[in-house]
Amino acid sequence: MASPSHLLAALAATLLLCTATIPIAASAAATTTVNVTSFGKSYGKVCDAGRFAELGLDMSSFPYCNASLPYADRVRDLIGWMTVEEKVSNLGDVARGAPRVGLPPYKWWSEALHGISSTGPATLFDDLHSRPGNHSGRATVNNGTVFANVINTAASFNETLWKSIGQVVSTEARAMYNLGKGGLTYWSPNINIVRDPRWGRALETPGEDPFVAGRYAVNFVRGMQDIPGHVTTTTTTDPNSRPIKTSACCKHYAAYDVDDWHNHTRFTYDARVTARDMAETFLRPFEMCVRDGDASAVMCSYNRVNGVPACADARLLTGTLRGEWGLHGYVVSDCDAVRVMVDNATWLGFSGADAGAAAVRAGLDLDCGENWKVDENGEPLADFLTAYGMAAVAQGKMSEADVDGALRNQYMTLMRLGYFDNIPEFAGLNETDICTEEHRGLALDGARQGIVLLKNHGGRLPLDPKKTLAVAVHGPHARAPEKVMDGDYTGPPCRYVTPRQGVSNHVKISHRAKTTIYFGGINLHIEREGNDREDIRLPKNQTEEILRFAKASPNPIILVILSGGGIDISFAQNHPKIGAILWAGYPGGEGGNAIADVIFGRYNPGGRLPLTWYTNKYIKQIPMTSMEFRPLPELGYPGRTYKFYDGPHVLYPFGYGLSYTKFHYSTTTTGAAVTVPVPGGHCKGLSYKPSVVAAAGAASACQAVNVDGHACAETVSFNVTVSNAGGRAGAHVVLVYTAPPPEVDQAPIKQVAAFRRVFVPAKGAATVPFALNVCRAFGIVERTAYTVVPSGVSRVIVENGDASSSVSFPVKIELSV
């Protein structure tokens, strides 16, 4: 049994503000926090005069608590009070603070991927089975709203939903903070691109398209951070002063998508990436997250990029993040990424002091270490910057000014969050603002929006509960445990509805029923952080069982797949006794009800796949470690994602999804012509296909213009009319692609330029307007890694999810010198 002092230290380590003179073990005092003082009073902000008085300090003596001063001046004053030892002790995610000058410790690490997660030391849900009074804070909080995993939510292609989820998550986060159960800084979302179908973390991401991932990032971050009246940064001369509700963090930067495949682990992997793929795919979501979302944090990844650890790459952290994109916030390492440089990658033979100094000088502000764990004596295990920072300073490898810069970015973020002053409109949030009926309703609706109908032969679905009075329910996920439905990075859900429970709310369940629903798929034992898949097949025992039920059933069975990444279920797609297939992803706490609502027709499915589903033959052609997106004929490697692969091994393409009704497209636009002025004649060259080099070169004196040097004001506007030919209303996703001139060599086949989810009444129609910015929608990345607009005839393509209807028209772009 632990000693009383260690038990007290462990309790204190779960809370936020250290104001206390509560006696705890001296060895643990520097790393624990508590928001209840020795006099029993709780404080919700650092700059409270009463809190300072209890510490024996006069708050008026510290200008960093003068709310009338600009944040920058206050941060400068705060850092100025601190000794170099105190400064270094705040470079880790469990920051020690500086109680000598009134600064309490702070725990930076919280997660909110699809709801408040119990991952990380700052967030603590109370145990449902604990005795009354045996909990943290002033009120018990056992649960939070658990939304569907990100890959599901992305399948909705609904930007309004994405932002609404961020708003709900941030509301529950502020409530947790007020109750002493969570922080204000959340390391979400994950916006890495799903380059390979074997990647274990596909469930956490918005899929394979960089534009879609970027728009997801913008909306989720805006939902997490924006406060009404302080939404934009253009109305203030100092964007760093814009108050934010919670801090969101886009991760993992950059070119991170290998966890553990054939002994290639994320800790040792060197991602060899061309400048073109970097600009076109790996960096684009992060650029959108920072520039358009105004994210207040970015997390650098474990891997190396072209030989250099991402967390020690000055080009990525300082040159690109801050210099080019203008990050207003801090950069944090993936947890233990600084240690990984020494212990795993053994980069340049660096010591702990070398690695920490290199990271900070490159632009890292905060080191996440595995330091919420304690050793056998109850001592916290330190992160590398805290452990080796003083040695780095003493050895001249890192200056005190370097440390000041890192702390400046940290404390500016905390100032914006109201950590020092509170934000009045959020001060009253409490346990009644968590798991509200409205929040649970959004979780249900979000899960339904992301369900994708993959097959519906002969209109097998929806089932009519008035005619189908009973069903047989089988499969390993029928009574799916919580972790199967919720996926990873999750907290305990408000309530948990299994697929079987959801079905039972509609009809009777009977083994003798003539209709069978099979719930199969994979789980976190197969795909997860730290584990990539060896193949993309369904487990063999499930395949055999599904075929057995299909053969025995008098009616074609219904197959529901739970997974994050795609699965080769071609056997089911082609089987006449498997009448319908639904992909439900990992749909969260309300998932059972969401699935049942779709099966029994209470909701018309409108989700579309945010990543390509391949047959298993695809992965036999290419190792997971090949980072190239374009085909490599000399190695026999096919291209990656819908943008560059058009081979035979696609089961369901990106954007695929059926409905219980039929939608048809039309447009009155037959073509468009745009003239783009090129001031000064600053034209760029293009790489043409060998067969058309001469003709293409002669066609235009100005082949392309660099987007970075252009005003980018030109647009192509058009309307798409979506007609519902059926008797059932439903939501429909309109996906707009652009295709570059066909003579351009190694250009994308097509790329998403816009999307909109619209509701179309039965036998009705909806007209959807689009205005495509020429630079953003028609730009492509050339070999030089310039994003350029090519002269010539591009195309706009609008494709239905079931390939039954599409419209397209040419866009002639003329570059005028």
Side-chain angles (χ1 to χ4, degrees), residues 264-276:
H264 296 279
T265 75
R266 56 186 177 165
F267 304 131
T268 59
Y269 186 60
D270 184 6
R272 294 288 173 170
V273 186
T274 65
R276 192 182 209 181

PDB file of all heavy atoms in Angstrom, residues 264-276:
ATOM      1  N   HIS A 264       9.337  -1.464 -39.101  1.00  0.00           N
ATOM      2  CA  HIS A 264       9.506  -0.026 -39.323  1.00  0.00           C
ATOM      3  C   HIS A 264       8.554   0.681 -38.357  1.00  0.00           C
ATOM      4  O   HIS A 264       7.340   0.640 -38.532  1.00  0.00           O
ATOM      5  CB  HIS A 264       9.155   0.345 -40.765  1.00  0.00           C
ATOM      6  CG  HIS A 264      10.053  -0.267 -41.792  1.00  0.00           C
ATOM      7  ND1 HIS A 264      11.288   0.256 -42.103  1.00  0.00           N
ATOM      8  CD2 HIS A 264       9.898  -1.371 -42.571  1.00  0.00           C
ATOM      9  CE1 HIS A 264      11.854  -0.491 -43.040  1.00  0.00           C
ATOM     10  NE2 HIS A 264      11.037  -1.488 -43.333  1.00  0.00           N
ATOM     11  N   THR A 265       9.108   1.293 -37.318  1.00  0.00           N
ATOM     12  CA  THR A 265       8.272   1.932 -36.323  1.00  0.00           C
ATOM     13  C   THR A 265       8.343   3.453 -36.460  1.00  0.00           C
ATOM     14  O   THR A 265       9.292   4.001 -37.028  1.00  0.00           O
ATOM     15  CB  THR A 265       8.686   1.556 -34.890  1.00  0.00           C
ATOM     16  OG1 THR A 265       9.888   2.262 -34.538  1.00  0.00           O
ATOM     17  CG2 THR A 265       8.917   0.054 -34.758  1.00  0.00           C
ATOM     18  N   ARG A 266       7.349   4.097 -35.914  1.00  0.00           N
ATOM     19  CA  ARG A 266       7.300   5.565 -35.969  1.00  0.00           C
ATOM     20  C   ARG A 266       8.476   6.201 -35.245  1.00  0.00           C
ATOM     21  O   ARG A 266       8.821   7.346 -35.517  1.00  0.00           O
ATOM     22  CB  ARG A 266       5.981   6.053 -35.379  1.00  0.00           C
ATOM     23  CG  ARG A 266       5.717   5.568 -33.944  1.00  0.00           C
ATOM     24  CD  ARG A 266       4.341   5.984 -33.495  1.00  0.00           C
ATOM     25  NE  ARG A 266       4.016   5.493 -32.160  1.00  0.00           N
ATOM     26  CZ  ARG A 266       3.011   5.939 -31.432  1.00  0.00           C
ATOM     27  NH1 ARG A 266       2.237   6.894 -31.903  1.00  0.00           N
ATOM     28  NH2 ARG A 266       2.764   5.451 -30.244  1.00  0.00           N
ATOM     29  N   PHE A 267       9.093   5.478 -34.309  1.00  0.00           N
ATOM     30  CA  PHE A 267      10.207   6.034 -33.546  1.00  0.00           C
ATOM     31  C   PHE A 267      11.516   6.042 -34.339  1.00  0.00           C
ATOM     32  O   PHE A 267      12.408   6.839 -34.046  1.00  0.00           O
ATOM     33  CB  PHE A 267      10.409   5.243 -32.254  1.00  0.00           C
ATOM     34  CG  PHE A 267       9.177   5.170 -31.396  1.00  0.00           C
ATOM     35  CD1 PHE A 267       8.742   3.955 -30.888  1.00  0.00           C
ATOM     36  CD2 PHE A 267       8.443   6.308 -31.099  1.00  0.00           C
ATOM     37  CE1 PHE A 267       7.609   3.875 -30.104  1.00  0.00           C
ATOM     38  CE2 PHE A 267       7.306   6.242 -30.311  1.00  0.00           C
ATOM     39  CZ  PHE A 267       6.881   5.020 -29.817  1.00  0.00           C
ATOM     40  N   THR A 268      11.625   5.157 -35.305  1.00  0.00           N
ATOM     41  CA  THR A 268      12.874   5.063 -36.064  1.00  0.00           C
ATOM     42  C   THR A 268      12.696   5.384 -37.537  1.00  0.00           C
ATOM     43  O   THR A 268      13.681   5.452 -38.274  1.00  0.00           O
ATOM     44  CB  THR A 268      13.468   3.650 -35.951  1.00  0.00           C
ATOM     45  OG1 THR A 268      12.521   2.694 -36.456  1.00  0.00           O
ATOM     46  CG2 THR A 268      13.790   3.305 -34.500  1.00  0.00           C
ATOM     47  N   TYR A 269      11.457   5.613 -37.983  1.00  0.00           N
ATOM     48  CA  TYR A 269      11.197   5.746 -39.405  1.00  0.00           C
ATOM     49  C   TYR A 269      11.670   7.093 -39.955  1.00  0.00           C
ATOM     50  O   TYR A 269      11.436   8.146 -39.359  1.00  0.00           O
ATOM     51  CB  TYR A 269       9.702   5.584 -39.685  1.00  0.00           C
ATOM     52  CG  TYR A 269       9.380   5.567 -41.161  1.00  0.00           C
ATOM     53  CD1 TYR A 269       9.915   4.600 -41.993  1.00  0.00           C
ATOM     54  CD2 TYR A 269       8.546   6.526 -41.713  1.00  0.00           C
ATOM     55  CE1 TYR A 269       9.624   4.577 -43.347  1.00  0.00           C
ATOM     56  CE2 TYR A 269       8.245   6.515 -43.063  1.00  0.00           C
ATOM     57  CZ  TYR A 269       8.792   5.534 -43.872  1.00  0.00           C
ATOM     58  OH  TYR A 269       8.515   5.530 -45.218  1.00  0.00           O
ATOM     59  N   ASP A 270      12.330   7.031 -41.094  1.00  0.00           N
ATOM     60  CA  ASP A 270      12.765   8.228 -41.807  1.00  0.00           C
ATOM     61  C   ASP A 270      11.907   8.364 -43.059  1.00  0.00           C
ATOM     62  O   ASP A 270      12.064   7.608 -44.018  1.00  0.00           O
ATOM     63  CB  ASP A 270      14.247   8.115 -42.178  1.00  0.00           C
ATOM     64  CG  ASP A 270      14.784   9.376 -42.832  1.00  0.00           C
ATOM     65  OD1 ASP A 270      14.048  10.382 -42.898  1.00  0.00           O
ATOM     66  OD2 ASP A 270      15.944   9.361 -43.285  1.00  0.00           O
ATOM     67  N   ALA A 271      10.959   9.290 -43.042  1.00  0.00           N
ATOM     68  CA  ALA A 271      10.059   9.488 -44.173  1.00  0.00           C
ATOM     69  C   ALA A 271      10.774  10.265 -45.268  1.00  0.00           C
ATOM     70  O   ALA A 271      11.043  11.455 -45.109  1.00  0.00           O
ATOM     71  CB  ALA A 271       8.808  10.237 -43.720  1.00  0.00           C
ATOM     72  N   ARG A 272      11.073   9.570 -46.353  1.00  0.00           N
ATOM     73  CA  ARG A 272      11.744  10.207 -47.481  1.00  0.00           C
ATOM     74  C   ARG A 272      10.668  10.745 -48.426  1.00  0.00           C
ATOM     75  O   ARG A 272      10.000   9.990 -49.128  1.00  0.00           O
ATOM     76  CB  ARG A 272      12.653   9.211 -48.192  1.00  0.00           C
ATOM     77  CG  ARG A 272      13.832   8.766 -47.325  1.00  0.00           C
ATOM     78  CD  ARG A 272      14.843   9.897 -47.187  1.00  0.00           C
ATOM     79  NE  ARG A 272      15.913   9.578 -46.236  1.00  0.00           N
ATOM     80  CZ  ARG A 272      17.003  10.324 -46.087  1.00  0.00           C
ATOM     81  NH1 ARG A 272      17.165  11.423 -46.816  1.00  0.00           N
ATOM     82  NH2 ARG A 272      17.917   9.997 -45.199  1.00  0.00           N
ATOM     83  N   VAL A 273      10.526  12.051 -48.434  1.00  0.00           N
ATOM     84  CA  VAL A 273       9.402  12.694 -49.104  1.00  0.00           C
ATOM     85  C   VAL A 273       9.910  13.709 -50.114  1.00  0.00           C
ATOM     86  O   VAL A 273      10.807  14.508 -49.806  1.00  0.00           O
ATOM     87  CB  VAL A 273       8.488  13.410 -48.080  1.00  0.00           C
ATOM     88  CG1 VAL A 273       7.246  13.954 -48.760  1.00  0.00           C
ATOM     89  CG2 VAL A 273       8.101  12.462 -46.950  1.00  0.00           C
ATOM     90  N   THR A 274       9.330  13.704 -51.300  1.00  0.00           N
ATOM     91  CA  THR A 274       9.689  14.715 -52.290  1.00  0.00           C
ATOM     92  C   THR A 274       9.084  16.052 -51.894  1.00  0.00           C
ATOM     93  O   THR A 274       8.070  16.123 -51.186  1.00  0.00           O
ATOM     94  CB  THR A 274       9.173  14.338 -53.686  1.00  0.00           C
ATOM     95  OG1 THR A 274       7.731  14.348 -53.673  1.00  0.00           O
ATOM     96  CG2 THR A 274       9.673  12.964 -54.108  1.00  0.00           C
ATOM     97  N   ALA A 275       9.712  17.116 -52.371  1.00  0.00           N
ATOM     98  CA  ALA A 275       9.181  18.453 -52.088  1.00  0.00           C
ATOM     99  C   ALA A 275       7.765  18.595 -52.625  1.00  0.00           C
ATOM    100  O   ALA A 275       6.917  19.270 -52.033  1.00  0.00           O
ATOM    101  CB  ALA A 275      10.094  19.518 -52.697  1.00  0.00           C
ATOM    102  N   ARG A 276       7.502  17.934 -53.729  1.00  0.00           N
ATOM    103  CA  ARG A 276       6.179  18.022 -54.349  1.00  0.00           C
ATOM    104  C   ARG A 276       5.116  17.375 -53.468  1.00  0.00           C
ATOM    105  O   ARG A 276       4.061  17.962 -53.210  1.00  0.00           O
ATOM    106  CB  ARG A 276       6.238  17.331 -55.711  1.00  0.00           C
ATOM    107  CG  ARG A 276       5.047  17.570 -56.600  1.00  0.00           C
ATOM    108  CD  ARG A 276       5.216  16.796 -57.902  1.00  0.00           C
ATOM    109  NE  ARG A 276       4.546  17.450 -58.993  1.00  0.00           N
ATOM    110  CZ  ARG A 276       4.528  16.979 -60.235  1.00  0.00           C
ATOM    111  NH1 ARG A 276       5.162  15.857 -60.513  1.00  0.00           N
ATOM    112  NH2 ARG A 276       3.888  17.612 -61.197  1.00  0.00           N
TER     113      ARG A 276
END
